[in-house]
Amino acid sequence: MLGSLGDMDRRLKANRENWNDRVSIHTQSDFYDVEGWLRRSPGPAPREVALIGDVKGKTLVQLQCHFGQETLQWVRAGARVTGVDFSPAAIEAATELSKSAGLDDRSRFVCSNVYDAGENLGGEQFDVVYVTIGSLCWLPELRPWAKVVAELLAPGGQFYLFEVHPFTNSFDSDGVHLLYDYFEEPSAPQIWDSDTTYTDGGAVAHPRSYQWNHSLSEIVQSLIDEGLRIDTLIEHDWTVFQQFPWLEKDGEGLFQIPLGYPRLPLMFTLHARI
Ligand SMILES: C[S@@+](CC[C@H](N)C(=O)[O-])C[C@H]1O[C@@H](n2cnc3c(N)ncnc32)[C@H](O)[C@@H]1O
């Protein structure tokens, strides 16, 4: 059941304020290492290129692009890119970053709630729609999101999603005790009060945020129902951040389940075409 529109607007507003506060902390953090990123000029991750393939001359849109690092990496692989985020501070930082990296002639960043992205991008369609880690948990409902994904895809276009596995979001931060619902419940978000963010650095002025979980089948079915044909779904037993204290960092910078522990899904990758 949906909560009243007033509740939903209030929660999205709180999330936007919380994300606005995080931007300047993140751009100065060791975690995102903007200086190193500018120096190293990385392209997209090899595991992404392996699925998406050659993007030379293609168009790509990243939904919930934050301050644009991942979006801009695709310019270095030959794409023209668009990043969408509802945080004005993130869009401003992404635009600045594109200039510092000398990639502003093949990129643009648009401030929009993801649910309104189709309209705010003027009906434009893209060869690739790209969504990565830490995006879906901010969305109260996936069905309208999947509709936007389908609207944004050009005929024959590809959708790529790399996300935290929703099973892990049911655990307390110790990664041992079950605490939260696994299934989508738009009117009952998880309420977080924290003046820190997931990077090193300062405190946020708007500590309250709201998050929602979506089960793996809710994610997959929302896309199928919008006409996407899923060709790849992989559950990973590794992750890219210290989600639980018992995960061990390996030599590649990934976080692994220690030997002897039950193997659980920690992240997943989904690839589809329309
Ligand atoms: C963790 S980032 C994901 C980007 C990237 N994977 C990263 O880790 O930097 C989450 C982003 O979602 C954005 N966001 C949250 N809710 C949104 C919404 N309803 N519409 C558009 N953007 C939203 C936030 O502003 C934030 O920049």
Side-chain angles (χ1 to χ4, degrees):
M1 281 254 305
L2 269 178
S4 72
L5 193 61
D7 278 348
M8 209 56 97
D9 284 350
R10 187 171 49 76
R11 290 171 185 150
L12 290 178
K13 180 170 178 286
N15 283 354
R16 185 184 292 113
E17 287 169 349
N18 178 269
W19 274 104
N20 274 335
D21 291 350
R22 294 190 200 212
V23 173
S24 61
I25 301 171
H26 288 185
T27 53
Q28 291 167 55
S29 68
D30 292 341
F31 184 94
Y32 282 101
D33 185 20
V34 170
E35 250 178 53
W37 182 86
L38 285 168
R39 203 174 46 247
R40 285 182 284 105
S41 293
R47 66 172 171 272
E48 299 181 337
V49 178
L51 269 181
I52 296 174
D54 187 2
V55 294
K56 277 189 205 76
K58 293 195 172 167
T59 55
L60 175 146
V61 62
Q62 179 171 14
L63 302 179
Q64 298 176 248
C65 65
H66 200 30
F67 66 91
Q69 273 185 335
E70 292 167 332
T71 327
L72 290 168
Q73 286 172 193
W74 287 99
V75 180
R76 300 195 181 112
R80 292 191 74 83
V81 303
T82 300
V84 174
D85 201 284
F86 77 165
S87 154
I91 292 302
E92 199 179 311
T95 306
E96 273 310 302
L97 186 66
S98 72
K99 290 180 188 154
S100 309
L103 303 173
D104 50 319
D105 56 335
R106 284 151 291 163
S107 61
R108 68 170 169 163
F109 291 92
V110 176
C111 194
S112 171
N113 191 327
V114 71
Y115 291 122
D116 305 324
E119 202 181 318
N120 289 332
L121 294 174
E124 189 176 341
Q125 293 189 313
F126 299 83
D127 298 311
V128 183
V129 176
Y130 172 78
V131 178
T132 74
I133 183 165
S135 294
L136 300 188
C137 63
W138 303 101
L139 306 181
E141 278 191 287
L142 278 199
R143 287 192 168 275
W145 163 84
K147 205 174 176 49
V148 170
V149 169
E151 272 170 25
L152 291 175
L153 279 170
Q158 312 182 48
F159 175 60
Y160 176 89
L161 173 64
F162 176 60
E163 255 296 5
V164 174
H165 199 292
F167 175 68
T168 65
N169 292 335
S170 287
F171 286 93
D172 200 353
S173 55
D174 61 6
V176 175
H177 296 97
L178 283 169
L179 193 59
Y180 301 109
D181 284 342
Y182 176 64
F183 296 100
E184 179 178 288
E185 187 48 78
S187 65
Q190 295 177 19
I191 301 172
W192 293 85
D193 286 305
S194 168
D195 66 0
T196 60
T197 173
Y198 53 84
T199 70
D200 48 299
V204 298
H206 298 87
R208 175 153 290 195
S209 66
Y210 299 87
Q211 296 186 32
W212 293 264
N213 205 23
H214 315 280
S215 74
L216 193 60
S217 67
E218 285 163 347
I219 298 167
V220 166
Q221 196 63 45
S222 72
L223 295 165
I224 292 172
D225 289 350
E226 291 300 331
L228 277 79
R229 287 173 283 110
I230 294 164
D231 54 50
T232 306
L233 177 61
I234 311 168
E235 294 175 290
H236 306 291
D237 63 357
W238 48 264
T239 183
V240 295
F241 70 112
Q242 186 85 56
Q243 186 173 10
F244 301 128
W246 44 265
L247 289 169
E248 292 177 347
K249 194 169 186 180
D250 69 12
E252 312 287 303
L254 297 178
F255 292 81
Q256 305 280 355
I257 298 170
L259 273 179
Y261 276 48
R263 284 178 68 228
L264 304 172
L266 298 174
M267 296 204 68
F268 72 96
T269 298
L270 181 153
H271 182 264
R273 287 183 184 270
I274 199 158

